[in-house]
Each structure stands twice: as C-alpha cells, then as structure tokens.
Amino acid sequence: MTKSNSLGDFEQLVMLALLRIGSDAYGMIVRREIEERTGREVSLGAIYATLDRLENKSMVSSTLGGTGRQRRGRAKRFFLVETPGLEALRRSLDALDRMRSGIAGLETEEGVEV
Amino acid sequence: MKPTADHNVGFGVDFPGPFAHLVLVSLLPTDRREELVGDLIEEAETIVVPQCGRRAARRWFWRQALVSASPLYARRSTRKVTMNRWKWMTLVLVLIAGPLMALDPSVLSASPPVIALVSFAILIPASAGLLSGNLRVLAGTAVFSGALLLAARLTSGIEIRWYAMAFIFFIVLKGGWWLERRLSSAKG
C-alpha cells in the first residue's frame, strides 16, 4: 500500500462517520457523530482539514448545499465517500484486523463491539 | 449545566455581528471558512444555546473558532500549490522583473538595508501571486510592497520603474485569473 492511499487514524474516523451519516454529511454533523461515538473532542477545523485532504486524494467528493436562517445564509458543504475512499478504508480496517488477530484481549467476536 | 433564562432564545439575526465577522475573516484561512462559520453558528444556535444558554454558546463559538484555525493553516501549508496558466505567467513575470529591479544600477549602489527592503518588497507580491487566489490579499500585498519601494525611492533615490511596469502586468494577470474564476463559477 502506498502512502497516498493509506488512511491515518483520524481519517478512518472521518470516513466512517461519513458512511454512517450518508448523504446528509456536512462538517457539523460529522464532528458531532465522532464526538458522540468516540468521546473524543475534535475541532471543526480538524474535520475540514481532513476532509480537504481526503478530497485531494479523490476519496471523498463535496457539493455545496442549502443555506438557511440558522446559518445566517452560509452554505453547507456536503461530503460523500467515493469508491477509492471506500476501498482505502476497507484496506486500512482489514490491516488493523489482521494485526490484532491472535492478540489476547484485543480480538472481537463477529458483530460484537469492543 | 443549569438552565438559564436565555435558553431556547437563540442568537439575533445579525449574529455573530460585523466586528466578529471581521475577526473571523482575519483569524481563519479562506479555505472552507464560510462553511465552517455556518456550521459553528448552526451548532451554537441549535444545540449549544438550548443546552447551555446564549452566554455559554458565545464562549463555545469563539473557542471552537480559535481551535479550528491551526489545523486549517497546517493543512494549507502542506497542500501542493496547484499551478495554472495565470500562476505560470505570474512566475515568469516575477523571474524577469525581479532581477531587473534588483540589478538596476541605482539599487545595486544603494545601502544594504535598502537592498534588503527592495528584495522584501519584490518577494511579498511574488509569493502572494503564486500562493493566493484572493484579490484582497493581492491588493493588500501590492499596496504594502509599493509603499515600501516608494519609501526606498524617496529616501535613497532608487529607480522603481521596473517594479511599476511589473506591478501593472501583475495586476492584469491576477485580474484575468480572478475574472476567469468568477465566470467559470457563475457558469457552474
């Protein structure tokens, strides 16, 4: 695997959040999804910087969406995982699974979260 | 957090206000700024205000804006510069006009501080021209470096004709790029 298509820890979290949210994924929702599921406090700037990096690697795509009074007229940018991103995520998670398999206390049963 | 009287009231329509807008524009890089500020306002108003009240939401908003700046700047510093024909032309212009300006006899015979000032004044618009697509940044840097060269001209008598010519070409190039981007975004 080359460096350009491997995913870092935070990139994996962002990609997984995008997949969980689906077509309504934009910065604020992604940030909240990660915070609620991992308990890890993340800044919106870190989310956008990561999404920008992933978009540069063609792993995600983005489109500008609706504004609204609650955003004082500022547009939302919706993000979607693209096929190369999905493949890279699968490879990263597979590698992680292979690395931890056989290590006592780190293995998970099928469908059971750690 | 204990509920307060301002719960569920939300911010006014002018939030975060013109001064705060100016601070945000200065604080955050242009990339994704509008989306980021929109997200922060939306989250502050729809989630933080109902839970914690307006005062806490304002604090939350500014803390988030502050901590968001560094990852965006870090990202910008590691991003590859995407070249286009306008940037290539600017680069060629700088490579021609810079040495012409720096090697002008009046500059070469000037004192070291003046030579340093001239080099600095040439490098500012050169880097802005290559790295920034923002017309305000361009105008600001061009005016600043123009003022530096004018000061050098008045105090030490150096010639700035090459700079003046380059400046005009520079504005034409950058204006062309900006106009092209505007037209393509209007079509898209």
Side-chain angles (χ1 to χ4, degrees):
Chain A
M1 197 191 301
T2 59
K3 193 175 181 231
S4 62
N5 62 11
S6 63
L7 290 174
D9 167 47
F10 193 63
E11 287 176 333
Q12 287 177 26
L13 285 182
V14 171
M15 294 278 278
L16 288 168
L18 290 181
L19 290 168
R20 297 193 77 87
I21 299 161
S23 59
D24 195 33
Y26 61 99
M28 167 200 149
I29 304 288
V30 174
R31 196 184 82 81
R32 290 198 66 79
E33 180 74 15
I34 293 174
E35 275 198 0
E36 282 168 13
R37 291 201 164 260
T38 64
R40 176 174 167 176
E41 197 174 324
V42 290
S43 75
L44 205 50
I47 298 282
Y48 273 108
T50 304
L51 286 167
D52 187 55
R53 195 164 52 243
L54 292 170
E55 195 171 9
N56 260 29
K57 293 183 198 171
S58 304
M59 293 186 182
V60 303
S61 58
S62 75
T63 47
L64 276 177
T67 56
R69 195 199 73 84
Q70 281 177 328
R71 301 176 62 83
R72 306 295 185 273
R74 290 171 172 89
K76 292 175 185 174
R77 184 170 287 276
F78 292 100
F79 293 89
L80 209 63
V81 176
E82 295 294 337
T83 310
L86 200 61
E87 286 168 2
L89 180 63
R90 193 173 288 131
R91 276 197 303 271
S92 294
L93 295 177
D94 284 349
L96 203 62
D97 282 343
R98 283 196 297 277
M99 284 304 290
R100 74 176 184 182
S101 86
I103 299 175
L106 288 180
E107 283 189 290
T108 58
E109 289 174 29
E110 192 70 28
V112 179
E113 291 181 17
V114 176
Chain B
M1 192 177 284
K2 198 178 172 185
T4 56
D6 59 4
H7 277 217
N8 299 314
V9 175
F11 295 117
V13 286
D14 62 337
F15 182 81
F19 176 70
H21 182 74
L22 199 67
V23 174
L24 288 168
V25 166
S26 316
L27 177 73
L28 299 168
T30 48
D31 327 302
R32 310 284 191 246
R33 183 173 60 213
E34 288 304 296
E35 297 96 306
L36 187 139
V37 173
D39 284 356
L40 286 182
I41 294 171
E42 184 181 351
E43 187 167 354
E45 184 148 294
T46 58
I47 296 163
V48 188
V49 169
Q51 285 177 1
C52 313
R54 265 189 297 179
R55 188 176 291 180
R58 270 184 199 277
R59 280 200 303 271
W60 176 90
F61 177 87
W62 284 107
R63 198 181 69 239
Q64 285 295 324
L66 281 174
V67 297
S68 287
S70 59
L72 291 175
Y73 278 110
R75 169 68 191 138
R76 173 180 264 208
S77 67
T78 56
R79 187 189 294 149
K80 282 180 191 165
V81 176
T82 313
M83 296 300 284
N84 58 33
R85 61 194 161 111
W86 298 106
K87 286 192 179 183
W88 280 118
M89 284 194 280
T90 308
L91 183 63
V92 170
L93 178 72
V94 167
L95 288 174
I96 294 170
L100 281 175
M101 172 75 206
L103 295 173
D104 191 280
S106 65
V107 176
L108 285 176
S109 59
S111 61
V114 172
I115 294 174
L117 190 76
V118 169
S119 309
F120 186 54
I122 292 168
L123 285 173
I124 295 172
S127 53
L130 289 173
L131 301 174
S132 175
N134 189 321
L135 210 64
R136 277 176 298 182
V137 172
L138 165 76
T141 51
V143 167
F144 181 61
S145 69
L148 285 180
L149 286 170
L150 196 61
R153 168 90 177 95
L154 293 174
T155 54
S156 65
I158 61 159
E159 285 295 336
I160 56 171
R161 58 178 184 272
W162 293 113
Y163 179 80
M165 281 174 67
F167 179 74
I168 293 166
F169 279 118
F170 184 66
I171 292 292
V172 170
L173 286 177
K174 209 64 184 169
W177 180 28
W178 180 80
L179 197 66
E180 189 179 81
R181 283 179 54 187
R182 275 292 161 105
L183 289 173
S184 64
S185 65
K187 278 181 195 167

